[in-house]
Amino acid sequence: MPPLQTHSVGIELKNIDLSYGNTRVIKDVSLSIKQGEFFAFLGPSGCGKSTLLRLIAGFEHCQKGQVFLGDEEVSALPPWKRQVGMVFQNYALWPHMTIYKNVAFGLEERKLPKNEINQRVKDVLELVGLQDYAERRPNQLSGGQQQRVALARTLVIEPKVLLLDEPLSNLDATLRVHMRQELLELQRKLSLTTIFVTHDQEEANTTADRIAVLKDGIVQQIGAPMELYDHPDNLFVAQFLGSANVIQGTLSKQSNYTLFDDGKGMQISLQSSDIEGSKSIVLRPQNLALCEAESNTADLQGQVKIREFLGNIVRYEIQVGRQQLIVDEMYSFDNVPAETGSTVGLTINNDKIIIM
Amino acid sequence: MTSKAYKNPGQTLLFILIALFMLSFLVIPVVKVFYVAFIDVNTGNLTLVNFLDFFNTSLFQESFFNSFYVAGMSVIVATIISLPLAYFTTRFEFKGSVIIQSLGFVPLIMPPFVGAVAMQLLFGSNGSVNLLMDEYFGFTIPFMEGLNGVIFVQSIHYFPFILINLSTSLNNIDRSMEESAQNLGSHGMRLFRRIVFPLAMPGYVAGASLVFLKVFDDLGTPLLLNVNNMLAPQAYLRISSIGIDDPMGYVIAVILVVFSLFAMWVASLALKGKDYSTVQKGGGGLAKRKMRFWEKVIAYTIVIIILLAVLSPHLGLTLLSFGSIWSYSVLPDGFTPEHYVSIFEETPEFMVNTLIYASMAATIDIILGTAIAYLVLRSKIRFRHWLDYTAMAALAVPGLVLGIGYLRTFLGMSIPFGDMPLATWWVMLVIALSIRRLPYALRACTSALHQVSRSLEEAAENLGANKTKTIYRIVVPLMSGGILAGFVTSFATAAVELSATIMLVSSESDAPLSYGIYVYMQSAAGRGAGAALGMVAVVIVATGTYFSHRIIEKGRRERSLENNS
Ligand SMILES: Nc1ncnc2c1ncn2[C@@H]1O[C@H](COP(=O)(O)OP(=O)(O)O)[C@@H](O)[C@H]1O
Ligand SMILES: [Mg+2]
């Protein structure tokens, strides 16, 4: 029995344009988030993620476009009438109130009867595992606990959607991994439409149903994590999600294959296709493998520049002609890795090359 | 067995010397005052009879009530002045904010007693404003009648303490504090009452209790306005007219100290565990919006009225110092430089003495301040923190109390190699001034030393410099900005101190500016010259304030450059 009701709805942004003074920060953004979806805004710092989120919460106003929550156009509603839950990056817990008072605030503003407030605050604190901390002050809690309070304070008003602005950025690494799972679990339990803002692709990949990748206020691509990884629409998306070797060159059709030539002495034969001309190719590090330099399976030859042992994999940087390529090899017990400075061969998993 | 750490005999010696100084010139005099207050004059036994006498005398009851009333009302009026100003600057994008910020400093460059008489000529029952009002509107306002005058002068002078503290705490509230409340359904007055107001409260209380303390202790302003039925003037009059043995002066001194401590305690309670400053890196204060037209009109009207009130002491003093005769008229009858000529020709000693005393006091302050800061932050001497506490405790000792303490403690002693009384020797005045200003200098030195990384000293020691060399070649040069700022502040404020001065000065030839102003202002004929001396004081304090500001700003800029590179 979930203690909280949810009246979760979908979110739709239509042709949003937003400027601060003369700087255009959001450029014609349209996207549609389904009810109950865990959606992420992913992009480098300054790309406009927070601005979009604050627009949905009613703290910013767009010059063009519309915001819908469910079927309702909310563009003209002030923040306090939107019933949108937002967890701030710094949690924004009020230091002069106890945890109980912080959580009860939204309910008191809604003039609920005292005993109901009491019950609901108790329930939600239990939901986030802080029932014993009600009388403490925010500065007496750890970062992770403060985060939970911020979440509880937001959830208790039974918002239509939940907005999280870099909710994990103030936590240390281990807690971050733990909290993101907890968040996801909670979101699933309540089936609450959620937007999660982050600049960390791993966070987005591990939690979101779908991700919108943003850059300079423009949506680059929207899709499920693996979709974005395997079929990026552009170089930015390819590079932002995971590591990638990007090589520029030309494609030319041969008899039964397509030849890629970077013009600096690197040639790779690809599966036959109709694409020709000046293009870039993207090679994921794990789709390259080392072999003997003289081996006849070697597609390329190069010299090992750097070798890093990362536990489950060994990462090499190989100098091939004038290109540096990253190669990831699985590491298993007692493997003998290639030495730095040695000459090695590279095999390429041809059907996993992404052409842009 | 304890290990043998290197002990520094120089530090220990320094500690003892400073401790002796603080003991002789702060602790013992204050303890003496308390002691006398609790001693029966006739029997010499400990007793509460002096306090009973005090509270059974109607004049003292009245004085006690009046001091309380004046201090409380000054807080209220200062709050009324500060609130709209703080509101305009923190909630709106308001061009007048620049005026408001400088407004905050203008009153502080002139000690309230200096402007008091000038205020009477502007706002008194026959002053310019009331003459004009009577002529055009047919009524007058008793701004300066009795206690009103003290309240008016004090609140115009001290409101910046509230304004600055309140604005700072409002600016330290992160926007997200307000936005999260809006997000949860709150807005308008409710949001202000539940979130903004409580978060700004500690800053306000800190400022308000400071104003209370300053006004409650002040001697100069009531004295110059001829309001004698308050505590500080009563203490002064008892000691100066009845004599050093009269216990009432001591009882009042004890009450002043107790209330100072009380006000400081309230301030520390308000601030304790309530560091509500929630601003994030790069975030900044509450959301501001542009003013609508009529809001601008109201805002500017209020700011200009307050500006005029705040500048009125300066304006009045200027008029008075250049005016020939000024009574029962809106403006002086004519203008003349003769008052300035006369103060420089007839009583140059007031100015010369001031320069000597204030620079000596400020020098003592920065030497003590640097030494105490160094011992507290860098040595391991057991009781080093007590030096800090004792020096800071001087904040709770009004100048009047210190003065009485010196008179009593050094009673009957003569100066070294002479037969003049020690207590009223000018050197004692310098020491009293230095004790009074030490807390400010000490804070400046401590924060300067905080900026010097311990590793810079360790690097010097590692390269072979001993402690003394390290202090001399590394620490002091790096602290110099803060030390200099401390010197200038101490100098500027010591130059216009009246309450300890008035107790300790025995002859006019030894007297500084503030005493001169007081003496001149006693007679209608001397007011012009008194005002001219006041102008000199304002110039000294203003120049000092300006330079200490510049020095601090320069230090800040240099540090931020270092951090960026
Ligand atoms: N109040 C503001 N005024 C002017 N520019 C702003 C303001 N807030 C954000 N910006 C600018 O808008 C851009 C997007 O900011 P933001 O949405 O905070 O980025 P993100 O959250 O993706 O890091 C940035 O370039 C930022 O400098
Ligand atoms: Mg952001």
Side-chain angles (χ1 to χ4, degrees), chain B residues 311-533:
Chain B
L311 287 178
S312 61
H314 303 75
L315 184 71
L317 195 72
T318 313
L319 286 176
L320 189 55
S321 73
F322 284 107
S324 47
I325 297 175
W326 188 10
S327 66
Y328 293 94
S329 61
V330 176
L331 289 174
D333 294 349
F335 293 96
T336 162
E338 77 185 54
H339 301 310
Y340 288 91
V341 175
S342 86
I343 58 165
F344 281 101
E345 276 179 357
E346 288 164 28
T347 50
E349 69 271 12
F350 288 144
M351 281 160 279
V352 175
N353 288 339
T354 295
L355 292 181
I356 297 173
Y357 298 172
S359 48
M360 285 178 71
T363 308
I364 296 176
D365 276 345
I366 57 164
I367 292 172
L368 285 179
T370 313
I372 296 175
Y374 188 84
L375 289 177
V376 168
L377 292 180
R378 298 289 200 259
S379 83
K380 300 203 165 48
I381 296 173
R382 258 288 263 307
F383 298 109
R384 63 188 186 281
H385 288 288
W386 281 98
L387 288 183
D388 195 25
Y389 302 151
T390 314
M392 293 312 287
L395 276 181
V397 182
L400 175 70
V401 176
L402 200 64
I404 298 176
Y406 280 23
L407 290 180
R408 183 71 189 209
T409 307
F410 305 110
L411 183 71
M413 296 188 201
S414 302
I415 61 168
F417 319 111
D419 54 2
M420 273 169 50
L422 180 65
T424 51
W425 191 29
W426 64 270
V427 175
M428 298 308 278
L429 177 56
V430 169
I431 292 175
L433 293 177
S434 72
I435 291 280
R436 292 266 294 146
R437 303 302 159 192
L438 182 57
Y440 306 100
L442 176 56
R443 286 280 73 85
C445 293
T446 306
S447 74
L449 186 55
H450 266 300
Q451 315 281 357
V452 181
S453 161
R454 185 80 183 83
S455 62
L456 295 175
E457 285 163 67
E458 286 166 351
E461 284 169 24
N462 177 254
L463 294 172
N466 64 23
K467 284 261 188 261
T468 316
K469 266 256 168 61
T470 307
I471 293 172
Y472 174 66
R473 293 191 53 187
I474 309 288
V475 181
V476 171
L478 285 172
M479 284 173 69
S480 59
I483 294 178
L484 197 55
F487 178 89
V488 178
T489 323
S490 282
F491 176 87
T493 49
V496 289
E497 143 84 60
L498 180 63
S499 51
T501 308
I502 206 171
M503 298 301 310
L504 295 176
V505 165
S506 59
S507 73
E508 247 174 60
S509 60
D510 277 349
L513 259 181
S514 50
Y515 188 82
I517 296 171
Y518 172 66
V519 172
Y520 273 126
M521 291 287 190
Q522 300 292 309
S523 67
R527 279 177 184 171
L533 268 185

Side-chain angles (χ1 to χ4, degrees), chain A residues 54 57 59 79-80 84-86 88 90 92-97 105-106 108-111 137 139 153-154 157, chain B residues 174-188 190-191 194-195 198-199 273 275-276 278 280:
Chain A
R54 292 167 54 78
F59 297 120
W80 50 92
V84 159
M86 178 152 170
F88 290 76
N90 61 353
L93 300 179
W94 300 300
H96 62 295
M97 295 183 184
F105 184 89
E108 287 168 0
E109 288 302 311
R110 286 168 176 71
K111 310 239 166 38
R137 301 241 169 193
N139 61 7
R153 183 175 76 174
T154 309
I157 64 162
Chain B
D174 193 77
R175 185 174 297 199
S176 68
M177 290 287 134
E178 199 184 13
E179 287 181 347
S180 55
Q182 292 180 337
N183 182 249
L184 294 173
S186 187
H187 70 108
R190 269 184 76 77
L191 191 155
R194 298 197 61 188
I195 306 293
L199 288 175
D275 184 8
Y276 286 169
T278 48
Q280 300 292 302

Side-chain angles (χ1 to χ4, degrees), chain A residues 40 42 180 184 196 198 200-211 213 223-229 240-242:
Chain A
L42 175 65
R180 78 184 183 213
L184 185 58
F196 181 105
T198 178
D200 181 343
Q201 49 108 3
E202 186 184 313
E203 262 174 37
N205 283 335
T206 47
T207 52
D209 297 321
R210 285 194 303 150
I211 300 174
V213 181
M226 290 173 197
E227 220 173 293
L228 299 178
Y229 190 79
F240 205 75
L241 279 91

